[in-house]
Each structure stands twice: as structure tokens, then as C-alpha cells.
């Protein structure tokens, strides 16, 4: 006979495994009606809690797991801050990288083997079903990504506001032809697109809001910028999805004989160490890695202690450096 699991209860009740886990752990996050229904179904299915697993979970490892994108500079900056924030609270960090040859489920499985008290996923690409299933196994926190999944906490910056700050800055300099090279399907891309359209409309430039499909890399930025330069009237300013993408934009402009910012202004996003490089000095939107890391560690520890998941949204800020100026002829 197979053992009844929380996934079986979730299927019978028509809810997520994470919500069943909340009921079984007796922590806040489920209504009284849901609790009663889950417990009734569990009894009908003959569910018996795994006491051995429960005791293992109770043994505190004082380790928080972090899955991150190896090729994203901002994730490296954030990991550095997470180490410091965790150490200040008496915890260590276990890292597991997502890379072109190593997918996110593999990275997460490695963290589960470390018996982490909670896992933090930086800019995760997992869908709602996978996130809910993971939260049923271990307290789970999304960092730098929005999601509405039962049992999953979120700590992120306000990307709609962040892109709005970039548009406000460029419009204030006199730009009217502004393009946004987005992150394609990357975490945060939808919010940044919405922020761009909202801000352009707020300035009466809604009809001129120009969005191109981009991505996370320098190559994506270079391709999109080449497409913009092929137009009869290229933009006078570009806001890229992140600093890597913006670097590709700048490289393409310079190699084709355009001056930055005299001919075209460029704004990145994240304020990663790439933006601070002496030869770049990129104007960018800062998500404030230090504040994100502190909030993420605090939230992860609350989840590990049985607290209810919450969404924490921090305000970004604009960092003006050398890649933005008034448009030509202004």
C-alpha cells in the first residue's frame, strides 16, 4: 500500500500542497473552513504524519539556501549581501547556481539535500505549480520576482516605479523618443514593461512608447539596439532591462560611431557592479541589494519559524552617472 501524502490531500481538496502544509503545521495562512475541510479529507484518506520527517525538520540547521543565476551580475551582488545579512543573524548560506548547463530544479534539489531551514530563489523561473510544491517541502521565498502563490513569500523591488524613475529622468532631460528593451520572459519583465508604458503615458508620450524584445544579456541588448538603429528615426534614449543588456546597447552604439550620451542616452537597471565599472559609469535604477538582502533573510527566518508568507515591496532609486544627458539639439 502506498502512503497518503499531502499532495494526495491537496488533489482531493482542490487546493495547493503548500496550503495543505500550512494546515498540517498549524501555522497561520488558512481560513478555519479550509482547515476543517483539509483535516476531514486527511482523516478520510488515512493520512498519517511522518514523525521522523517532522523531527528532522525541527532540528535546526541554521542554514538558508539560495538558488541564483550564475551569469547575472546583480545576483552576485545580492548573494554577497545575503551572506552578511545571514551572518548577522547567526545563520550561514548554502549556494546552488543556475547555469546554462544546470537548470533551476537541479539547483533547488541540491539545496534540499543540505537540509536548509528555508530556501530563497533569486529571480526564479519556476511556475506556480512548481513553487507551490516546493513550499510544501520547505519554507520558500522569492526574491526580486513577483508571484501570487499560496505558501510562498516574496521580497522584491517595485519594478513599475523603477522604470518610471528612468522615464522621468529622461523626459526631464528633454527626451521624447524613448525606447525600452525588455527582458523577454525574464522575471520582472512584465512589471518593467507596464512601468514604461504607464510613465510614458503620464508624460503625454503614450503613443511614442516603444518596446522591443530583448533579454538578460549583452547580446540581447546589442541585437535590439541594432534593430533600433536600422529605423529611419532611432530613439534619442534607451532604457534596458538590466545592466548587462544596457552594456550591449552601449557597445553597439559606440562601434557604430554614435556617442553616449551626446547622441543617445542609455539607462540600465539593477545598479550591479557592472554599472559602476570606470569605463562604463552607467546611469541605472538601483534595487538596493543591501536592503533586499536584509528583508529577504528576515522573511526567510519568519517562514522557517512557521510564520505566514508575506510580500515585501521595496522602493528603488535612480543612480545618475555618465550615460545620460540632454538629447542632441536640446
Amino acid at each position: 500500500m502506498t502512503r497518503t501524502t499531502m499532495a494526495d490531500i491537496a488533489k482531493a481538496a482542490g487546493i495547493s500542497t503548500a496550503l495543505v502544509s500550512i494546515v498540517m503545521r498549524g501555522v497561520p495562512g488558512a481560513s478555519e473552513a479550509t482547515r476543517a475541510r483539509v483535516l476531514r479529507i486527511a482523516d478520510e484518506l488515512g493520512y498519517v504524519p511522518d514523525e521522523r520527517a517532522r523531527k528532522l525538520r525541527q532540528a535546526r540547521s541554521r542554514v538558508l539556501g539560495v538558488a541564483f543565476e550564475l551569469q547575472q551580475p546583480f545576483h552576485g551582488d545580492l548573494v554577497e549581501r545575503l551572506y552578511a545579512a545571514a551572518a548577522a543573524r547567526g545563520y550561514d548560506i548554502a549556494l546552488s547556481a543556475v547555469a546554462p548547463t544546470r537548470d533551476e530544479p537541479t539547483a533547488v534539489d541540491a539545496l534540499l539535500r543540505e537540509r536548509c531551514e528555508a530556501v530563497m530563489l533569486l529571480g526564479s523561473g519556476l511556475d506556480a505549480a512548481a513553487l507551490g510544491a516546493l513550499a510544501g517541502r520547505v519554507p520558500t521565498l522569492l526574491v526580486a520576482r513577483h508571484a501570487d502563490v499560496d505558501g510562498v513569500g516574496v521580497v522584491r523591488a517595485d519594478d513599475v516605479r523603477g522604470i518610471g524613475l528612468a522615464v522621468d529622468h529622461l523626459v526631464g532631460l528633454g527626451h521624447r523618443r524613448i525606447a525600452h528593451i525588455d527582458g523577454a520572459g525574464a522575471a520582472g519583465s512584465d512589471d518593467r514593461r507596464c512601468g514604461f508604458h504607464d510613465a510614458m503615458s503620464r508624460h503625454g508620450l503614450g503613443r511614442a512608447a516603444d518596446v522591443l524584445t530583448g533579454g538578460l544579456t549583452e547580446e540581447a541588448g546589442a541585437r535590439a539596439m541594432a534593430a533600433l538603429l536600422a529605423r529611419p528615426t532611432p530613439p534619442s534614449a534607451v532604457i534596458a532591462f538590466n545592466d548587462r543588456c544596457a552594456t550591449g546597447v552601449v557597445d553597439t552604439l559606440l562601434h557604430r560611431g554614435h556617442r553616449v550620451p551626446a547622441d543617445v542616452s542609455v539607462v540600465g537597471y539593477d545598479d550591479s557592479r557592472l554599472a559602476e565599472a570606470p569605463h562604463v559609469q552607467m546611469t541605472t535604477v538601483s534595487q538596493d541589494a543591501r536592503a533586499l538582502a536584509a528583508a529577504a533573510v528576515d522573511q526567510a527566518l519568519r517562514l522557517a519559524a512557521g510564520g505566514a508568507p508575506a510580500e515585501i515591496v521595496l522602493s528603488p532609486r535612480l543612480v545618475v552617472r555618465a550615460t545620460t544627458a540632454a538629447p542632441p539639439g536640446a
Side-chain angles (χ1 to χ4, degrees):
M1 294 179 63
T2 59
R3 184 187 184 94
T4 299
T5 67
M6 285 193 285
D8 297 324
I9 299 170
K11 183 177 181 180
I15 59 176
S16 69
T17 303
L19 190 52
V20 173
S21 175
I22 286 172
V23 173
M24 293 305 176
R25 287 184 287 137
V27 298
S31 69
E32 289 304 314
T34 297
R35 287 184 186 279
R37 185 160 60 93
V38 167
L39 292 174
R40 174 178 55 78
I41 292 172
D43 184 63
E44 291 172 354
L45 294 178
Y47 174 73
V48 178
D50 188 337
E51 289 298 315
R52 179 175 177 274
R54 183 183 65 82
K55 289 177 181 178
L56 281 173
R57 286 195 298 270
Q58 287 180 337
R60 297 173 65 187
S61 65
R62 303 197 73 81
V63 173
L64 300 174
V66 177
F68 71 106
E69 285 275 356
L70 188 63
Q71 296 186 328
Q72 292 307 314
F74 179 65
H75 285 193
D77 296 344
L78 193 50
V79 164
E80 182 178 350
R81 303 299 188 188
L82 286 168
Y83 269 121
R89 294 153 179 79
Y91 274 73
D92 200 0
I93 294 290
L95 293 179
S96 191
V98 179
T101 57
R102 190 173 193 253
D103 63 16
E104 190 172 3
T106 300
V108 171
D109 284 343
L111 293 176
L112 295 177
R113 291 193 294 272
E114 295 292 331
R115 289 186 54 239
C116 300
E117 292 187 28
V119 296
M120 293 179 275
L121 310 179
L122 309 190
S124 174
L126 297 179
D127 63 19
L131 289 170
L134 179 61
R137 302 176 66 186
V138 63
T140 301
L141 179 70
L142 287 177
V143 182
R145 174 191 159 183
H146 172 69
D148 185 13
V149 181
D150 287 337
V152 177
V154 173
V155 173
R156 63 180 180 90
D158 186 343
D159 284 334
V160 171
R161 174 171 169 74
I163 288 291
L165 293 174
V167 172
D168 293 346
H169 170 63
L170 293 170
V171 171
L173 291 172
H175 292 276
R176 295 296 181 268
R177 299 192 317 277
I178 305 171
H180 173 46
I181 299 174
D182 73 8
S189 191
D190 287 345
D191 282 349
R192 294 179 197 182
R193 276 192 298 269
C194 288
F196 179 71
H197 283 292
D198 289 350
M200 292 290 282
S201 296
R202 188 173 68 248
H203 289 288
L205 300 171
R207 292 179 179 272
D210 192 4
V211 178
L212 278 78
T213 299
L216 301 170
T217 65
E218 293 89 346
E219 292 80 9
R223 284 194 302 270
M225 192 65 238
L228 287 170
L229 290 175
R231 295 180 176 180
T233 307
S236 64
V238 175
I239 304 170
F241 175 74
N242 65 8
D243 293 335
R244 281 189 71 189
C245 183
T247 300
V249 170
V250 171
D251 286 347
T252 298
L253 286 167
L254 295 179
H255 282 120
R256 298 196 178 198
H258 299 274
R259 298 167 299 167
V260 177
D263 297 325
V264 181
S265 288
V266 179
V267 181
Y269 205 103
D270 288 339
D271 195 24
S272 65
R273 63 191 68 191
L274 188 63
E276 295 181 280
H279 66 288
V280 178
Q281 286 296 292
M282 182 86 66
T283 294
T284 185
V285 177
S286 172
Q287 297 195 64
D288 194 341
R290 189 188 301 276
L292 272 179
V297 169
D298 284 344
Q299 173 80 324
L301 293 179
R302 280 196 294 272
L303 291 173
E311 181 175 44
I312 298 173
V313 182
L314 304 180
S315 294
R317 61 187 176 87
L318 184 73
V319 180
V320 179
R321 295 194 180 98
T323 58
T324 52

